[in-house]
């Protein structure tokens, strides 16, 4: 590994601001690739470590530092995805991507000037929803990287090929396969105002322990999935069927502690709910609303995935 001499270290770096400014884009990218902001931050840190391990001469020889950082971050994430599957085989219960509060900086991040073809690309808001991230979890690491880089962040297949280590034609096929998965798994969502109304009505019916109202808000084939990670009490296996979910939620309402409060909040850019106990967020719920009903509920209780919600 090259090391810098003391004079070289002391010399001001004219490109430092440009390098640091890439961090937002890299976090945006890595979160979508990994489904975990914690892992995304680690991947970006590793990317910058590799950048600063180079000498000034090596850095100056790189024509586009931003492209170099994206390439390295993509490769780091690809490696993490490869090992993540083995780790999740030993995970206690279902694994759900880390939920994020509000419309924070990781919601945006498309490279400046990049164009979007509406025929085969998703919007950035969709690309950060829990429903979308769960579909990404079903893809192979290579499919996920090719799809996110091309369809979400508008990188060319030549750029994707350099990261994935395959030909541009092969990357095009990977992205096409991933796109079919997304379209097959995700029916058209309800308009945003309607989603908020349905989630609000679900909250009211839950608090009222109104099973009939809950059943009316849930799709007959709805699924509820929980993630406690073995660190918080939750149901280990998905609950299938609107009536079963309604009864389970009514039971939860009867057992709810007096100091627990339900609040309507934005979860990954979509209407959601959080449960606070003694002012601390202990549960985050994300919803997929199709038509007039809830198709899927994701319940995150693993405290390691709720650190971003401490001040919500």
């Amino acid at each position: 590994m090259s090391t810098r001499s003391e004079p070289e270290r002391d010399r001001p770096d004219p490109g430092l601001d440009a390098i640091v400014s890439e961090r937002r884009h890299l976090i945006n990218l890595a979160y979508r690739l990994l489904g975990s902001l914690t892992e995304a931050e680690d991947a970006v840190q590793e990317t910058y470590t590799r950048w600063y391990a180079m000498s000034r001469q090596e850095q100056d020889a790189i024509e586009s530092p931003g492209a170099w950082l994206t390439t390295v971050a993509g490769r780091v994430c690809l490696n993490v995805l490869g090992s993540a599957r083995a780790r999740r085989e030993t995970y206690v219960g279902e694994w759900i991507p880390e939920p994020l509060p509000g419309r924070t900086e990781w919601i945006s991040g498309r490279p400046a000037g990049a164009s979007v073809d509406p025929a085969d690309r998703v919007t950035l808001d969709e690309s950060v929803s829990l429903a979308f991230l769960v579909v990404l979890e079903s893809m192979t690491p290579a499919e996920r990287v090719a799809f996110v880089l091309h369809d979400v962040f508008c990188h060319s297949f030549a750029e994707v090929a350099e990261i994935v280590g395959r030909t541009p034609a092969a990357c095009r096929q990977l992205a096409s396969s991933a796109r079919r998965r997304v379209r097959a798994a995700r029916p058209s969502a309800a308009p945003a105002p309607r989603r908020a109304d349905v989630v609000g009505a679900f909250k009211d019916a839950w608090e009222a322990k109104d099973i009939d109202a809950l059943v009316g808000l849930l799709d007959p084939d709805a699924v509820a999935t929980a993630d406690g990670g073995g660190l918080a009490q939750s149901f280990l296996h998905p609950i299938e069927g609107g009536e079963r979910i309604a009864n389970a939620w009514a039971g939860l309402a009867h057992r709810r502690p007096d100091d627990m409060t339900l609040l309507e909040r934005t979860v990954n850019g979509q209407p959601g709910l959080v449960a606070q106990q003694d002012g601390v967020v202990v549960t985050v719920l994300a919803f997929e609303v199709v038509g007039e009903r809830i198709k899927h509920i994701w319940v995150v209780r693993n405290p390691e995935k709720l650190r971003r919600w401490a001040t919500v």
Side-chain angles (χ1 to χ4, degrees):
M1 181 184 297
S2 299
T3 58
R4 301 183 187 179
S5 64
E6 290 305 320
E8 188 178 44
R9 280 199 180 98
D10 295 338
R11 198 174 70 202
D13 185 351
L16 179 61
D17 289 344
I19 293 298
V20 172
S21 69
E22 290 292 327
R23 186 177 185 278
R24 175 178 176 178
H25 166 67
L26 297 176
I27 290 288
N28 278 310
L29 173 64
Y31 173 68
R32 288 166 175 82
L33 290 178
L34 301 176
S36 164
L37 188 58
T38 301
E39 290 185 348
E41 290 173 337
D42 290 343
V44 171
Q45 181 61 40
E46 172 63 21
T47 299
Y48 277 106
T49 296
R50 296 186 187 186
W51 171 265
Y52 287 110
M54 294 189 295
S55 67
R56 175 65 64 79
Q57 289 78 11
E58 289 172 320
Q59 292 173 355
D60 290 344
I62 295 173
E63 183 176 348
S64 175
W68 185 95
L69 290 167
T70 296
T71 298
V72 172
R75 289 172 178 167
V76 170
C77 290
L78 188 60
N79 290 336
V80 173
L81 285 171
S83 62
R85 293 199 167 194
R87 294 199 309 274
R88 288 170 193 168
E89 287 179 359
T90 60
Y91 193 81
V92 178
E94 300 290 322
W95 190 94
I96 297 175
E98 179 184 348
L100 301 179
R103 294 181 58 84
T104 43
E105 68 170 28
W106 44 79
I107 299 298
S108 61
R110 183 167 48 211
S115 61
V116 175
D117 180 357
D120 67 0
R121 289 184 178 138
V122 297
T123 69
L124 286 172
D125 279 354
E126 287 176 330
S127 77
V128 82
S129 72
L130 258 293
F132 184 84
L133 293 174
V134 168
V135 176
L136 293 183
E137 285 295 314
S138 69
M139 301 178 185
T140 68
E143 280 180 331
R144 185 167 183 167
V145 172
F147 177 73
V148 170
L149 281 167
H150 179 264
D151 282 47
V152 179
F153 286 91
C154 308
H155 290 280
S156 70
F157 284 119
E159 294 171 314
V160 176
E162 188 175 353
I163 294 171
V164 178
R166 306 193 187 188
T167 66
C171 291
R172 185 182 298 275
Q173 289 299 316
L174 287 170
S176 178
S177 173
R179 199 175 301 126
R180 287 194 296 271
R181 287 177 186 255
V182 171
R183 289 172 176 164
R186 296 199 61 217
S188 298
R194 182 56 189 154
R195 292 199 298 270
D197 289 343
V198 170
V199 171
F202 182 88
K203 171 181 174 291
D204 294 340
W206 184 9
E207 291 180 317
K209 308 178 185 66
D210 188 337
I211 294 179
D212 290 339
L214 288 170
V215 170
L217 291 165
L218 290 158
D219 186 279
D221 297 320
V223 178
T225 307
D227 179 347
L231 301 175
Q233 185 176 3
S234 65
F235 48 94
L236 292 177
H237 304 290
I239 302 174
E240 299 180 354
E243 289 191 14
R244 291 187 63 199
I245 294 172
N247 280 283
W249 254 252
L252 290 172
H254 282 289
R255 298 190 301 273
R256 194 178 85 184
D258 293 337
D259 60 350
M260 181 173 286
T261 305
L262 288 176
L263 302 169
E264 295 181 45
R265 291 289 185 268
T266 299
V267 181
N268 285 59
Q270 307 294 325
L273 300 175
V274 302
Q276 285 186 344
Q277 193 166 1
D278 289 331
V280 177
V281 173
V282 294
T283 307
V284 171
L285 297 93
F287 299 81
E288 182 177 36
V289 179
V290 179
E292 299 293 312
R293 293 187 171 185
I294 295 167
K295 187 72 174 178
H296 209 132
I297 305 173
W298 292 278
V299 183
V300 180
R301 303 205 71 238
N302 184 341
E304 293 184 349
K305 295 184 178 182
L306 300 180
R307 295 171 181 169
R308 317 287 167 177
W309 295 82
T311 59
V312 173

